[in-house]
């Protein structure tokens, strides 16, 4: 039988001892280093929910651009603070997994991109400006592709 209790591929005595001596910040840095070496430096765009790392991204954004994202059974709502002077120059675009805010007048500014918590439909999105906020309502995609895989013997 295969020796499952040896924690293959990690050497139990050395590997766990190394992590027991580290503090949580060192472990987080180790994980980030491993992930960036495997997936590249911009791997965080591919993983939408990363706990502290996602919080750090939203802390780097100005308070004006950090959105509130709320998910229900049928919709995803995004609420974003915007100056009334900027509303005419903004364009909202989205894919099934990302929401983008683009400034039409100043092309030097990179578009703001936010990961959505669930896939959304391409059509049926509504956006409105109310009291200094853009409120965007996206319809969640309910049809998930199911693929049946045959098991060979």
């Amino acid at each position: 039988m295969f020796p499952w209790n040896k924690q293959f591929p990690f050497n139990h005595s050395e590997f766990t001892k190394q992590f027991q001596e580290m503090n949580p910040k060192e472990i987080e840095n180790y994980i980030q280093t491993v992930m960036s070496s495997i997936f590249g430096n911009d791997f965080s765009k591919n993983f939408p929910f990363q706990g502290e790392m996602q919080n750090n991204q939203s802390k780097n954004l100005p308070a004006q651009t950090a959105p509130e994202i709320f998910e229900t059974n049928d919709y995803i709502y995004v609420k974003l603070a915007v100056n009334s002077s900027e509303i005419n120059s903004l364009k909202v675009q989205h894919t099934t997994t990302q929401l983008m805010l683009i400034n039409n007048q100043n092309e030097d500014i990179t578009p703001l991109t936010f990961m959505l918590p669930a896939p959304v439909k391409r059509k049926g999105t509504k956006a409105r400006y109310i009291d200094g906020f853009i409120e965007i309502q996206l319809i969640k995609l309910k049809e998930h592709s199911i693929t049946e895989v045959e098991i060979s013997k």
Side-chain angles (χ1 to χ4, degrees), residues 5-16 19 30:
N5 59 350
K6 286 193 173 185
Q7 296 182 356
F8 179 80
F10 306 113
N11 183 353
H12 178 61
S13 61
E14 294 174 16
F15 189 74
T16 53
F19 276 110
Y30 173 76

Side-chain angles (χ1 to χ4, degrees), residues 31-42:
I31 292 171
Q32 296 302 328
T33 304
V34 170
M35 294 288 284
S36 63
S37 68
I38 294 171
F39 297 108
N41 289 332
D42 60 344

